[in-house]
Amino acid sequence: MEVFAGRSPGSAEHWSAGSPRRRRTSLLDPRSVAGQVLLLQIAVVVLLVVTAVAAIMLQAARDALREGRRASVVAAQSFASAPGVAGAMRGPDPTAVLQPRTEAARKRSGLDFVVAMNTQGIRYTYPYPSEIGKKFVGTIGPALRGETVVEQAGGPPLPTGRGTAVQAVVPVTDARGKVVGLVSAGITVRNVAALWMPELPIALGAGAAALALAVTGTALVSRRLLRQTRGLAPGELAELYEHHEAVLHAVREGVLITDAEDRLLLANEEATRLLGLPDGVRGRPVRELDLPEPVQRLLASPEPVDDAVHLAGDRLLAVNKRPTYPGTGRRGSVVTLRDTTELAALTGRAEVARQRLNLLYDAGVGVGTTLDVERTAQELADVAVPRFADLVTVDLLDAVLRGWEPTAEGWRHLRRAAIAGERRKVPAYPLGEVIDLSPLAPQTRTLQEGHGLLEADLRKAPGWRDQDPERARQALECGLRSLVAVPLRARGVPLGVASFYRRREAKPFEADDLSFAEELAARAAVAIDNARRFTREHAMAVTLQRSLLPRGQPEQDALEVAWRYLPAEGGVGGDWFDVIPLPGARVALVMGDVVGRGLHAAATMGRLRTAVHNFATLDLPVDEVLGNLDDLVVRMDNEEGAADAAEGLEGEGVTGATCLYAVYDSVTGACTMARAGHPEPVLVRPDGTVVCPGVPASAPLGLGGYPFETAELSLPEGSQLLLYTDGLVEDRVQDIDVGMERLRRALDGSGDRTPEETCRTVIDALRPVHSADDIALLAARTRRFPPSRVAEWDVPADPALVPAARARCRETLLAWGLEETGFTTELILSELVTNAIRYGSPPVTVRLLRGRCLTCEVSDGSSTSPRLRRAATTDEGGRGLFLVAQFAQRWGTRYTSRGKVIWTEQQLHDGAVSAAGHTPVDFLLEQFDDLEP
């Protein structure tokens, strides 16, 4: 049998009094009260029925046994006293006479046997003739004395079967009373049980009826119990009661329940407190509770009430009233009371909490917008004024402002980093001033103890006044009232102190304000520490990058140059530039940009700048320099990617670079340029016209396999060539075309400006407020090598004409006033011309250039480069280049489209070549002396 119950306790409708139960609960469920009662009743009924049946069976068996004994005695005595029995036993054949009579008596009496025997116990009769003449099984002694014996004994088989029999033994006497024989009559025990078996169905039927009645009654009781308890188990009922008690006692609203007669059935603790109810009010009528008349009338009224406000003592109560059992016809009410006076105070605290949450949100958004330490500190001060404090100061360790790691040694000396609020009305340390803190000052204590300190009344804060008595006196006169000092800590390291002040017009700081100030300072400290670490890393990166950039202008005569380098605010990049003097009054200009930022980009830039220097030293053509750089970038990218992959890291790689390489020849005025993904240079002609020279654009470095196109320009003297990186003309909000137009406008009419003035003008016009990328700018104004300092002539390919070349050189040096250099220069020229005629191919040309140094160049049509070696003493030749290397400061080879040029440079000091360690004659003698012993 089943009934329907509600949902499990975990469901949302479990505690709803009006929601139907949907769980099916069996009456035999041992977890339910009804099931337990039913099982108990079934057990009791079964026990009673079994006991009753057993008792009936025992009683019936006892009665049947008694009846069997009586019947056996009566039958035996009747047969023993029958006429003729005694005479038959004395006759010659007792069996023939008594056997028919005993069988007839047995059948008439319904007994199992009637046996006649002599005094020795030898049977005369028996239902089975085969047993006649055998010894009787039983007790015959008392019967021989004239007594009657009743007993249970076994014997031979009977017509009803074998088994224990209830038998009676009586004596047979003659007329004189002498025992002449014995008669035994009896019945087996199994046949005795047949006497009481008809009573067993009655007992069992009565037990079954009682059990059915118990189950039916229990089912009815269980159904009613389930309906009244809404299908809840005992544990659920107990849990519901506990929850009911917990809610009533914990809820911040008063709850009253009244019945139809307006008696108070329930009042929780909050209702007792709000109405001032005495103890023992349960069950009393509302009118006897001494309540205010409006409240009493409201409780007695059957009408529902919504948020009715009534005065109860000094409390303003908001009252709501609803019927207890709506729609059932049962009367009763539930009344809730809410103290609006406390609600107003709670609403005020909630508003304060909301404002502080908004302030924390604003601090999270407004503090740390930049990676500047001082700016972040000022943002902290600004966000707290005036919503939390009237005056806020932020003092940081000097190491923090410099980007260094803070130490405890600097706690006593803080620098004022930010101030906000009424600093004009209140005397305070100015920005940037170093503050020597007193050991008793709240700021010192908060740094040492690691938590904030609250001074609710600064007049009672001797430590604060001892810091600067005169300034403290003026601050108190200006109205300062309370202080909260909290440490600025990040990663467990103190960075400084934030001090929040309030004037006497505001509410003094409390413990909640201290907790809020610590939370605000903790958030700001993280931003300050991030800015400090960025400052340190930025300074390191800038230092590295500046160390890799040119420190000063190299000595050269071809160009007048000036440059600017501005690192980005978010970290240095890979921008670089260079001015590399080349032999032959030439200069190489380089401008490059490595993709990426930080130390990796700066280090890559240094490697590329070194590579450009090496390629320039080899005097390679412009396109070959870029080609070699492209191969280097590809190789660097592959090496770094393979190394990072082997270490399980995400490879940064070079990811590419841009470069512009230009070589200017001041003798001819020719400038050869090529660019690999770099912005096109800008040319300012002497008349102020601004043009782009049209250098073909090639692929950036690092792609590999692409050729680089060159452009050759003829630059008039006084032209300015402007090289720059994309940070100057392009950013996130400005397209490169707009930047180029702004650059052209800034350069208009600047033909007569010096390179320094040009750099200043361009930077002032185009520098962004917040630079997101590095800016590199190089301005170079061309000069032409004076023709009077150039001597050039052809030499026929005949060794016999070498003396004529030396003579022509001597005449040129004499005209230039360099007579003292004649011997050395003639020796160098002689060796170079001889090698060109002997090992090169026509035409052979000699060129002398007098500038900062004396340059001697010999060109021929061969591409075979000479090699320096030290000749043995037995060699006839091989000493020419060795002599050239000893007398010249530098020498080298560069290839041209028509062959090669061997050049040497001799440093000039005050118009003369610097002296060598040996005189020329002595040096030559040393070279040709026989060193053999």
Side-chain angles (χ1 to χ4, degrees), residues 59-133:
Q59 182 64 35
R62 189 179 298 111
D63 294 343
L65 186 59
R66 187 183 304 113
E67 180 62 24
R69 292 164 65 92
R70 186 191 63 78
S72 298
V73 172
V74 170
Q77 289 179 348
S78 297
F79 189 82
S81 60
V85 174
M89 287 186 178
R90 285 186 174 187
D93 191 3
T95 299
V97 178
L98 297 177
Q99 176 68 12
R101 295 182 63 179
T102 55
E103 284 301 304
R106 178 179 69 82
K107 295 177 180 179
R108 287 194 306 269
S109 63
L111 300 177
D112 291 330
F113 64 91
V114 177
V115 179
M117 69 195 83
N118 62 16
T119 57
Q120 284 78 32
I122 301 302
R123 291 191 286 264
Y124 292 144
T125 64
Y126 198 79
Y128 293 118
S130 61
E131 299 296 327
I132 297 173

Coordinates of all heavy atoms in Angstrom, one line a residue, residues 59-133:
Q59 N -3.0 -27.0 25.3 CA -4.2 -27.3 26.1 C -5.0 -28.5 25.5 O -5.5 -29.4 26.1 CB -5.0 -26.1 26.2 CG -6.2 -26.3 27.1 CD -5.9 -26.6 28.6 OE1 -4.8 -26.1 29.1 NE2 -6.6 -27.5 29.3
A60 N -5.2 -28.4 24.1 CA -5.9 -29.5 23.5 C -5.2 -30.8 23.6 O -5.9 -31.9 23.8 CB -6.2 -29.1 22.0
A61 N -3.9 -30.8 23.4 CA -3.2 -32.0 23.5 C -3.3 -32.6 24.9 O -3.4 -33.8 25.1 CB -1.7 -31.8 23.2
R62 N -3.2 -31.7 25.9 CA -3.3 -32.2 27.3 C -4.7 -32.8 27.6 O -4.9 -33.8 28.2 CB -3.1 -31.0 28.3 CG -2.9 -31.5 29.7 CD -2.7 -30.3 30.7 NE -1.4 -29.6 30.3 CZ -1.3 -28.4 29.8 NH1 -2.4 -27.8 29.5 NH2 -0.1 -27.9 29.5
D63 N -5.7 -32.1 27.1 CA -7.1 -32.6 27.2 C -7.3 -33.9 26.5 O -8.0 -34.8 27.0 CB -8.1 -31.5 26.8 CG -8.1 -30.3 27.6 OD1 -7.6 -30.4 28.8 OD2 -8.6 -29.2 27.2
A64 N -6.7 -34.0 25.3 CA -6.9 -35.2 24.5 C -6.2 -36.3 25.2 O -6.7 -37.5 25.2 CB -6.3 -35.0 23.1
L65 N -5.0 -36.0 25.8 CA -4.3 -37.1 26.5 C -5.0 -37.6 27.7 O -5.1 -38.8 28.0 CB -2.9 -36.6 26.8 CG -1.9 -37.6 27.4 CD1 -1.7 -38.8 26.5 CD2 -0.6 -37.0 27.8
R66 N -5.7 -36.6 28.4 CA -6.4 -37.0 29.6 C -7.7 -37.8 29.2 O -8.0 -38.8 29.8 CB -6.9 -35.7 30.3 CG -7.6 -36.0 31.6 CD -8.1 -34.7 32.3 NE -7.1 -33.8 32.5 CZ -7.0 -32.6 31.8 NH1 -8.0 -32.3 31.0 NH2 -6.0 -31.8 32.1
E67 N -8.3 -37.4 28.0 CA -9.4 -38.2 27.5 C -9.0 -39.6 27.1 O -9.7 -40.6 27.3 CB -10.1 -37.4 26.4 CG -11.3 -38.1 25.8 CD -12.4 -38.3 26.8 OE1 -12.5 -37.5 27.8 OE2 -13.3 -39.2 26.6
G68 N -7.8 -39.7 26.5 CA -7.3 -41.0 26.1 C -7.0 -41.9 27.2 O -7.3 -43.1 27.2
R69 N -6.5 -41.3 28.3 CA -6.2 -42.1 29.5 C -7.5 -42.6 30.1 O -7.6 -43.7 30.6 CB -5.4 -41.2 30.5 CG -4.0 -40.9 30.0 CD -3.4 -39.8 30.8 NE -3.2 -40.1 32.2 CZ -2.1 -40.7 32.7 NH1 -1.1 -40.9 32.0 NH2 -2.1 -41.0 34.0
R70 N -8.5 -41.7 30.2 CA -9.8 -42.1 30.8 C -10.5 -43.2 30.0 O -11.0 -44.2 30.5 CB -10.7 -40.8 30.9 CG -12.0 -41.1 31.6 CD -12.9 -40.0 31.4 NE -13.3 -39.8 30.0 CZ -14.2 -40.5 29.4 NH1 -14.8 -41.5 30.0 NH2 -14.5 -40.3 28.1
A71 N -10.4 -42.9 28.6 CA -11.1 -43.9 27.8 C -10.4 -45.3 27.9 O -11.0 -46.4 27.9 CB -11.1 -43.4 26.3
S72 N -9.1 -45.3 28.0 CA -8.3 -46.5 28.1 C -8.7 -47.2 29.4 O -8.9 -48.5 29.4 CB -6.8 -46.2 28.1 OG -6.5 -45.6 26.8
V73 N -8.8 -46.5 30.5 CA -9.1 -47.1 31.8 C -10.5 -47.7 31.8 O -10.8 -48.8 32.2 CB -9.0 -46.0 32.9 CG1 -9.5 -46.6 34.2 CG2 -7.5 -45.6 33.1
V74 N -11.5 -46.9 31.2 CA -12.9 -47.3 31.2 C -13.0 -48.6 30.4 O -13.7 -49.6 30.7 CB -13.8 -46.2 30.7 CG1 -15.2 -46.7 30.4 CG2 -13.8 -45.1 31.7
A75 N -12.3 -48.6 29.2 CA -12.4 -49.7 28.3 C -11.8 -50.9 29.0 O -12.3 -52.1 28.9 CB -11.8 -49.4 27.0
A76 N -10.6 -50.7 29.6 CA -10.0 -51.9 30.2 C -10.8 -52.5 31.4 O -10.9 -53.7 31.5 CB -8.6 -51.4 30.7
Q77 N -11.3 -51.6 32.2 CA -12.1 -52.0 33.4 C -13.4 -52.7 32.9 O -13.9 -53.7 33.5 CB -12.4 -50.8 34.3 CG -11.2 -50.3 35.0 CD -11.5 -49.1 35.9 OE1 -12.5 -48.5 35.8 NE2 -10.5 -48.8 36.8
S78 N -14.0 -52.1 31.9 CA -15.3 -52.7 31.3 C -15.0 -54.1 30.8 O -15.8 -55.0 31.1 CB -15.8 -51.8 30.2 OG -16.2 -50.5 30.8
F79 N -14.0 -54.3 30.1 CA -13.7 -55.6 29.6 C -13.3 -56.5 30.7 O -13.6 -57.7 30.7 CB -12.6 -55.5 28.5 CG -12.4 -56.8 27.8 CD1 -13.2 -57.1 26.7 CD2 -11.4 -57.7 28.1 CE1 -13.0 -58.3 26.0 CE2 -11.2 -58.9 27.4 CZ -12.1 -59.2 26.4
A80 N -12.5 -56.1 31.7 CA -12.1 -56.9 32.8 C -13.2 -57.4 33.6 O -13.2 -58.5 34.1 CB -11.0 -56.2 33.6
S81 N -14.2 -56.6 33.8 CA -15.4 -57.0 34.6 C -16.5 -57.6 33.8 O -17.6 -57.9 34.4 CB -15.9 -55.7 35.3 OG -16.3 -54.7 34.4
A82 N -16.3 -57.8 32.5 CA -17.4 -58.4 31.7 C -17.5 -59.8 32.1 O -16.6 -60.5 32.5 CB -17.0 -58.3 30.3
P83 N -18.8 -60.4 32.1 CA -19.0 -61.8 32.5 C -18.2 -62.7 31.6 O -18.1 -62.5 30.4 CB -20.5 -61.9 32.3 CG -21.1 -60.5 32.3 CD -20.0 -59.7 31.8
G84 N -17.7 -63.7 32.2 CA -17.0 -64.7 31.4 C -15.6 -64.5 31.2 O -14.9 -65.4 30.6
V85 N -15.1 -63.3 31.4 CA -13.7 -63.0 31.1 C -12.8 -63.8 32.1 O -11.8 -64.4 31.7 CB -13.4 -61.5 31.2 CG1 -11.9 -61.2 31.0 CG2 -14.2 -60.7 30.1
A86 N -13.1 -63.7 33.4 CA -12.3 -64.4 34.3 C -12.3 -65.9 34.1 O -11.3 -66.6 34.2 CB -12.8 -64.0 35.8
G87 N -13.5 -66.4 33.8 CA -13.6 -67.9 33.5 C -12.8 -68.3 32.3 O -12.2 -69.3 32.3
A88 N -12.9 -67.4 31.3 CA -12.1 -67.7 30.1 C -10.6 -67.8 30.3 O -9.9 -68.6 29.7 CB -12.5 -66.7 29.0
M89 N -10.2 -66.9 31.2 CA -8.8 -66.9 31.4 C -8.3 -68.2 32.2 O -7.1 -68.6 32.1 CB -8.4 -65.7 32.2 CG -8.4 -64.4 31.4 SD -7.8 -63.0 32.3 CE -7.9 -61.7 31.1
R90 N -9.3 -68.8 32.9 CA -9.0 -70.1 33.6 C -9.2 -71.3 32.7 O -8.9 -72.4 33.0 CB -9.8 -70.2 34.8 CG -9.2 -69.3 35.9 CD -10.0 -69.6 37.2 NE -9.5 -68.8 38.3 CZ -9.8 -68.9 39.6 NH1 -10.7 -69.8 39.9 NH2 -9.3 -68.2 40.6
G91 N -9.9 -71.0 31.5 CA -10.2 -72.1 30.7 C -9.0 -72.6 29.9 O -7.9 -72.1 30.0
P92 N -9.2 -73.8 29.2 CA -8.1 -74.4 28.5 C -7.6 -73.6 27.3 O -6.4 -73.6 27.0 CB -8.7 -75.7 28.1 CG -10.1 -75.5 28.0 CD -10.5 -74.5 29.1
D93 N -8.4 -72.8 26.7 CA -7.9 -72.0 25.5 C -8.5 -70.6 25.6 O -9.5 -70.2 25.0 CB -8.4 -72.7 24.2 CG -7.8 -72.1 23.0 OD1 -6.8 -71.2 23.2 OD2 -8.1 -72.5 21.9
P94 N -7.8 -69.7 26.4 CA -8.3 -68.4 26.6 C -8.3 -67.6 25.3 O -9.2 -66.8 25.1 CB -7.3 -67.8 27.6 CG -6.7 -68.9 28.3 CD -6.6 -70.0 27.3
T95 N -7.3 -67.9 24.5 CA -7.3 -67.1 23.2 C -8.5 -67.3 22.4 O -9.0 -66.3 21.8 CB -6.0 -67.4 22.5 OG1 -4.9 -67.2 23.3 CG2 -5.9 -66.6 21.2
A96 N -8.9 -68.5 22.3 CA -10.1 -68.8 21.4 C -11.3 -68.1 21.9 O -12.2 -67.6 21.1 CB -10.3 -70.3 21.3
V97 N -11.4 -68.0 23.2 CA -12.6 -67.3 23.8 C -12.5 -65.8 23.8 O -13.4 -65.1 23.4 CB -12.9 -67.8 25.2 CG1 -14.1 -67.2 25.8 CG2 -13.1 -69.4 25.2
L98 N -11.3 -65.3 24.2 CA -11.2 -63.8 24.4 C -10.8 -63.1 23.1 O -11.0 -61.9 23.0 CB -10.1 -63.6 25.5 CG -10.4 -64.1 26.9 CD1 -9.3 -63.9 27.8 CD2 -11.7 -63.5 27.4
Q99 N -10.1 -63.7 22.1 CA -9.7 -63.0 21.0 C -10.8 -62.3 20.2 O -10.8 -61.1 20.0 CB -8.9 -63.9 20.0 CG -8.5 -63.2 18.7 CD -7.4 -62.2 18.9 OE1 -6.8 -62.0 20.0 NE2 -7.2 -61.3 17.9
P100 N -11.9 -63.0 20.0 CA -13.0 -62.3 19.3 C -13.7 -61.2 20.1 O -14.0 -60.2 19.6 CB -14.0 -63.4 19.0 CG -13.2 -64.7 19.0 CD -12.2 -64.5 20.0
R101 N -13.7 -61.5 21.4 CA -14.3 -60.5 22.3 C -13.5 -59.2 22.4 O -14.0 -58.1 22.4 CB -14.6 -61.1 23.6 CG -15.6 -62.3 23.6 CD -15.8 -62.8 25.0 NE -16.4 -61.9 25.9 CZ -16.7 -62.1 27.2 NH1 -16.5 -63.3 27.7 NH2 -17.2 -61.2 27.9
T102 N -12.1 -59.4 22.5 CA -11.3 -58.1 22.6 C -11.3 -57.3 21.3 O -11.3 -56.1 21.3 CB -9.8 -58.5 22.9 OG1 -9.4 -59.5 21.9 CG2 -9.7 -59.2 24.3
E103 N -11.4 -58.0 20.1 CA -11.4 -57.3 18.9 C -12.8 -56.6 18.7 O -12.8 -55.4 18.3 CB -11.2 -58.3 17.7 CG -9.8 -58.7 17.5 CD -8.9 -57.6 17.3 OE1 -9.1 -56.7 16.4 OE2 -7.9 -57.4 18.1
A104 N -13.8 -57.2 19.2 CA -15.1 -56.5 19.2 C -15.1 -55.3 20.1 O -15.6 -54.3 19.8 CB -16.2 -57.5 19.5
A105 N -14.5 -55.5 21.3 CA -14.5 -54.4 22.2 C -13.6 -53.2 21.7 O -13.9 -52.1 21.9 CB -13.9 -54.9 23.6
R106 N -12.5 -53.6 21.0 CA -11.6 -52.6 20.4 C -12.3 -51.7 19.4 O -12.2 -50.5 19.4 CB -10.4 -53.2 19.8 CG -9.4 -52.2 19.1 CD -8.2 -52.9 18.6 NE -8.6 -53.8 17.4 CZ -8.8 -53.3 16.2 NH1 -8.6 -52.1 15.9 NH2 -9.1 -54.2 15.2
K107 N -13.1 -52.4 18.6 CA -13.7 -51.6 17.5 C -14.9 -50.8 18.1 O -15.1 -49.7 17.6 CB -14.3 -52.6 16.5 CG -13.2 -53.4 15.7 CD -13.7 -54.4 14.8 CE -12.6 -55.1 14.0 NZ -13.1 -56.1 13.1
R108 N -15.6 -51.4 19.1 CA -16.7 -50.6 19.7 C -16.2 -49.3 20.4 O -16.8 -48.3 20.4 CB -17.5 -51.4 20.6 CG -18.4 -52.5 20.0 CD -19.4 -53.0 21.0 NE -18.7 -53.5 22.1 CZ -18.3 -54.8 22.3 NH1 -18.5 -55.6 21.3 NH2 -17.8 -55.2 23.5
S109 N -15.0 -49.5 21.1 CA -14.5 -48.4 21.9 C -13.8 -47.3 21.1 O -13.5 -46.2 21.6 CB -13.7 -48.9 23.1 OG -12.5 -49.5 22.5
G110 N -13.3 -47.7 20.0 CA -12.6 -46.8 19.2 C -11.1 -46.7 19.6 O -10.3 -45.8 19.1
L111 N -10.7 -47.6 20.5 CA -9.3 -47.6 20.9 C -8.5 -48.4 19.9 O -9.0 -49.1 19.0 CB -9.2 -48.3 22.3 CG -10.0 -47.6 23.4 CD1 -9.8 -48.3 24.7 CD2 -9.5 -46.1 23.6
D112 N -7.2 -48.3 20.0 CA -6.3 -49.0 19.1 C -6.0 -50.4 19.5 O -5.7 -51.2 18.6 CB -5.0 -48.2 19.0 CG -5.1 -46.8 18.4 OD1 -6.0 -46.7 17.5 OD2 -4.4 -45.9 18.7
F113 N -6.2 -50.7 20.7 CA -6.0 -52.1 21.1 C -6.7 -52.4 22.4 O -6.8 -51.5 23.2 CB -4.5 -52.5 21.2 CG -3.7 -51.7 22.2 CD1 -3.6 -52.2 23.5 CD2 -3.1 -50.5 22.0 CE1 -2.9 -51.6 24.5 CE2 -2.5 -49.8 23.0 CZ -2.4 -50.3 24.2
V114 N -7.1 -53.7 22.6 CA -7.6 -54.3 23.9 C -6.9 -55.6 24.0 O -7.1 -56.5 23.1 CB -9.1 -54.4 23.9 CG1 -9.5 -55.1 25.2 CG2 -9.8 -53.0 23.8
V115 N -6.1 -55.8 25.0 CA -5.2 -57.0 25.1 C -5.5 -57.7 26.4 O -5.6 -57.0 27.5 CB -3.7 -56.7 25.0 CG1 -2.9 -57.9 25.2 CG2 -3.4 -56.0 23.7
A116 N -5.8 -59.0 26.4 CA -5.9 -59.8 27.6 C -4.7 -60.7 27.8 O -4.1 -61.2 26.8 CB -7.2 -60.7 27.5
M117 N -4.2 -60.8 29.0 CA -3.0 -61.5 29.3 C -3.1 -62.2 30.6 O -4.0 -61.9 31.5 CB -1.8 -60.5 29.3 CG -1.8 -59.5 30.4 SD -0.7 -58.2 30.2 CE -1.8 -57.1 29.2
N118 N -2.2 -63.1 30.9 CA -2.2 -63.8 32.1 C -1.4 -63.0 33.1 O -0.9 -61.9 32.8 CB -1.7 -65.2 32.0 CG -0.2 -65.2 31.4 OD1 0.5 -64.2 31.5 ND2 0.2 -66.3 30.9
T119 N -1.2 -63.5 34.3 CA -0.5 -62.8 35.3 C 1.0 -62.7 35.0 O 1.6 -61.9 35.7 CB -0.8 -63.4 36.7 OG1 -0.4 -64.8 36.6 CG2 -2.2 -63.4 37.1
Q120 N 1.5 -63.5 34.1 CA 2.9 -63.3 33.8 C 3.1 -62.4 32.6 O 4.2 -62.2 32.2 CB 3.5 -64.7 33.4 CG 3.7 -65.7 34.5 CD 2.5 -66.3 35.0 OE1 1.5 -66.5 34.2 NE2 2.4 -66.6 36.3
G121 N 2.1 -61.8 32.1 CA 2.2 -60.8 31.0 C 2.2 -61.4 29.7 O 2.6 -60.7 28.7
I122 N 1.8 -62.7 29.6 CA 1.8 -63.3 28.3 C 0.4 -63.0 27.7 O -0.6 -63.3 28.2 CB 2.0 -64.9 28.4 CG1 3.4 -65.1 29.0 CG2 2.0 -65.5 27.0 CD1 4.6 -64.5 28.4
R123 N 0.5 -62.5 26.4 CA -0.7 -62.0 25.8 C -1.5 -63.2 25.3 O -1.0 -64.1 24.6 CB -0.4 -61.1 24.6 CG 0.2 -59.7 25.0 CD 0.2 -58.8 23.8 NE 1.3 -59.2 22.9 CZ 2.5 -58.6 22.8 NH1 2.8 -57.7 23.7 NH2 3.4 -59.0 21.9
Y124 N -2.9 -63.1 25.7 CA -3.9 -64.0 25.1 C -4.5 -63.5 23.8 O -4.9 -64.3 23.0 CB -5.0 -64.3 26.1 CG -4.5 -65.1 27.4 CD1 -5.1 -64.8 28.6 CD2 -3.6 -66.1 27.3 CE1 -4.7 -65.5 29.7 CE2 -3.2 -66.8 28.4 CZ -3.7 -66.5 29.6 OH -3.3 -67.1 30.8
T125 N -4.5 -62.2 23.7 CA -5.2 -61.6 22.5 C -4.3 -60.4 22.1 O -3.5 -59.8 22.8 CB -6.6 -61.0 22.9 OG1 -6.4 -60.0 23.8 CG2 -7.5 -62.1 23.4
Y126 N -4.5 -60.1 20.7 CA -3.8 -59.0 20.2 C -4.4 -58.7 18.8 O -4.8 -59.7 18.1 CB -2.3 -59.2 20.1 CG -1.5 -57.9 19.9 CD1 -1.3 -57.1 21.0 CD2 -1.1 -57.5 18.6 CE1 -0.5 -55.9 20.8 CE2 -0.3 -56.3 18.5 CZ -0.1 -55.5 19.6 OH 0.6 -54.3 19.4
P127 N -4.4 -57.5 18.3 CA -5.0 -57.3 17.0 C -4.3 -58.1 15.9 O -5.0 -58.5 15.0 CB -4.9 -55.8 16.8 CG -4.8 -55.2 18.1 CD -4.2 -56.2 19.0
Y128 N -3.0 -58.4 16.1 CA -2.3 -59.2 15.1 C -2.0 -60.5 15.8 O -1.3 -60.6 16.8 CB -1.0 -58.6 14.7 CG -1.2 -57.3 13.9 CD1 -0.7 -56.1 14.3 CD2 -1.8 -57.4 12.6 CE1 -0.9 -55.0 13.6 CE2 -2.0 -56.2 11.9 CZ -1.6 -55.0 12.3 OH -1.8 -53.9 11.6
P129 N -2.6 -61.6 15.3 CA -2.5 -63.0 16.0 C -1.0 -63.4 16.2 O -0.7 -64.1 17.0 CB -3.2 -63.9 15.0 CG -4.2 -63.0 14.3 CD -3.6 -61.7 14.2
S130 N -0.1 -62.8 15.3 CA 1.3 -63.2 15.4 C 1.9 -62.8 16.7 O 3.0 -63.3 17.1 CB 2.0 -62.7 14.2 OG 2.0 -61.2 14.2
E131 N 1.3 -61.8 17.3 CA 1.9 -61.2 18.6 C 1.3 -61.9 19.8 O 1.7 -61.6 20.9 CB 1.6 -59.7 18.7 CG 2.2 -58.9 17.6 CD 3.7 -59.0 17.6 OE1 4.3 -59.1 18.7 OE2 4.3 -58.9 16.5
I132 N 0.3 -62.8 19.6 CA -0.3 -63.5 20.8 C 0.8 -64.5 21.3 O 1.5 -65.2 20.5 CB -1.6 -64.3 20.4 CG1 -2.6 -63.2 19.9 CG2 -2.1 -65.1 21.5 CD1 -3.9 -63.9 19.3
G133 N 0.8 -64.6 22.6 CA 1.8 -65.5 23.3 C 3.1 -64.8 23.6 O 3.9 -65.4 24.2

